Amino acid sequence: AYDFEIDGMYYNVLSIDTLTVEVTSGENKYSGNIVVPSQINFKDRIFKVIRIGDDAFWQCQIQSISLPESIKEISSGAFWGCYLQGITFPRSLELIGEAAFSRCRQLQSITIPSNVNYIGSRCFNECSNLQIVKINDSETKCEIQMDSFDYRNSIKKLYIGRPLSSFWVDSHTELTIGPLLKEWLYKFDSGKLEIVRSLIIDPSQLKPTFETNTYLNATLYVPKGTKAAYKQAEGWNKFFTIEEDENALITESCATPIIEYQNGKLKISSATAGSSC
């Protein structure tokens, strides 16, 4: 069921008071390359599109989809069994529901935005060509279910940039640890790891644990100028091979931004020389 249709896309009203809607399914299946608008005009009222509803694109023959920054939630089964070859999640996204991308067997890589705080059960199950997963940097924890990914994934490269409630992938050969990570979960580990790359400047902020095979055979790459510190840091010093990554340069954080409102304009600046906003 849907409330109305505009330009071939079906919508349900979430709230009359806030004039918000979700994309849903209708008589005709979606196909091709889809662009979801951020807002729609219905009977001279402007509705904001904030959610992809349950099963909205279930088994639809869509190759790509463009989601606006207004989207906050992708609900359960939203893209189940789609032919999606890729998707760029909006930075506004906060939740990805249960089985939202199950059986999307053409997906090869995904990047989870830093605002996502929940990833549902079986979310990316049976995505057999998924090879690269990046979970963007943030200091806040993301609740991710243990079975959000499964053994049928073929993930090779994994980037962890924030604390997770759980994670289970054992196929990856390359693991990158983001600069903000301060909490370690052993489920990041894999006996197949060949490369562990840390972007952390001060290795004392995180105490990782790996399987013996990883310590013996994987190469740990660290930012330039930090090798000596890693050789002394607990959890890192067990690696038999530690190398500095010439491309991972040490940079200092910018000073706290200065935000001002002057003459009808918002001004953002920083005291750090050379910084840009």
Side-chain angles (χ1 to χ4, degrees):
Y2 60 92
D3 292 323
F4 52 80
E5 177 266 331
I6 296 177
D7 297 330
M9 192 161 288
Y10 304 94
Y11 300 93
N12 279 329
V13 175
L14 297 173
S15 171
I16 288 291
D17 295 327
T18 60
L19 295 179
T20 52
V21 297
E22 68 175 6
V23 176
T24 188
S25 57
E27 290 94 345
N28 299 313
K29 286 269 191 179
Y30 300 107
S31 63
N33 300 308
I34 305 295
V35 177
V36 177
S38 61
Q39 59 184 29
I40 53 172
N41 187 322
F42 180 73
K43 294 185 177 181
D44 295 327
R45 297 288 185 94
I46 303 300
F47 286 82
K48 188 176 182 179
V49 184
I50 65 170
R51 186 165 77 188
I52 305 299
D54 290 351
D55 304 327
F57 295 93
W58 189 83
Q59 284 195 317
C60 289
Q61 296 297 312
I62 61 173
Q63 281 74 52
S64 69
I65 187 163
S66 176
L67 299 177
E69 286 298 326
S70 58
I71 296 293
K72 294 184 177 181
E73 180 178 333
I74 297 175
S75 299
S76 298
F79 294 95
W80 193 96
C82 283
Y83 192 77
L84 273 178
Q85 296 179 351
I87 183 169
T88 300
F89 295 117
R91 291 170 296 177
S92 56
L93 189 64
E94 297 175 357
L95 182 150
I96 307 176
E98 180 178 335
F101 292 90
S102 284
R103 296 195 180 184
C104 288
R105 292 174 175 147
Q106 302 304 313
L107 272 181
Q108 295 184 19
S109 68
I110 56 169
T111 297
I112 306 296
S114 57
N115 284 328
V116 172
N117 54 48
Y118 181 85
I119 300 176
S121 175
R122 307 190 312 281
C123 187
F124 295 99
N125 278 16
E126 298 188 59
C127 295
S128 53
N129 284 302
L130 186 59
Q131 297 183 36
I132 301 173
V133 173
K134 181 178 181 181
I135 301 176
N136 272 351
D137 301 327
S138 175
E139 293 185 352
T140 60
K141 183 181 289 187
C142 176
E143 183 179 348
I144 178 171
Q145 304 306 303
M146 186 68 75
D147 62 347
S148 293
F149 298 83
D150 72 353
Y151 66 91
R152 285 161 287 200
N153 297 134
S154 56
I155 297 170
K156 300 302 180 187
K157 294 184 178 182
L158 176 64
Y159 180 104
I160 300 294
R162 61 187 302 192
L164 305 175
S165 61
S166 65
F167 200 88
W168 185 82
V169 169
D170 68 352
S171 61
H172 56 297
T173 58
E174 182 174 328
L175 172 67
T176 300
I177 299 167
L180 302 181
L181 196 65
K182 297 180 181 179
E183 181 180 357
W184 180 259
L185 298 175
Y186 71 94
K187 289 297 181 182
F188 295 169
D189 201 4
S190 168
K192 302 174 184 177
L193 275 174
E194 299 172 0
I195 294 174
V196 177
R197 182 173 284 107
S198 174
L199 303 183
I200 295 172
I201 303 303
D202 179 4
S204 66
Q205 81 176 43
L206 179 70
K207 180 184 174 182
T209 57
F210 292 92
E211 296 178 6
T212 299
N213 182 63
T214 299
Y215 286 125
L216 293 174
N217 300 309
T219 299
L220 172 62
Y221 289 96
V222 300
K224 187 177 179 180
T226 66
K227 182 176 179 178
Y230 272 86
K231 280 192 167 185
Q232 299 298 319
E234 194 173 357
W236 302 104
N237 56 6
K238 294 181 181 179
F239 278 91
F240 276 53
T241 307
I242 302 178
E243 301 290 347
E244 291 188 352
D245 187 348
E246 295 293 328
N247 296 318
L249 300 177
I250 295 178
T251 57
E252 294 183 1
S253 298
C254 291
T256 302
I258 302 166
I259 304 175
E260 303 172 290
Y261 185 74
Q262 298 176 350
N263 301 321
K265 294 184 178 180
L266 190 66
K267 180 183 178 182
I268 303 175
S269 59
S270 173
T272 303
S275 63
S276 60
C277 300

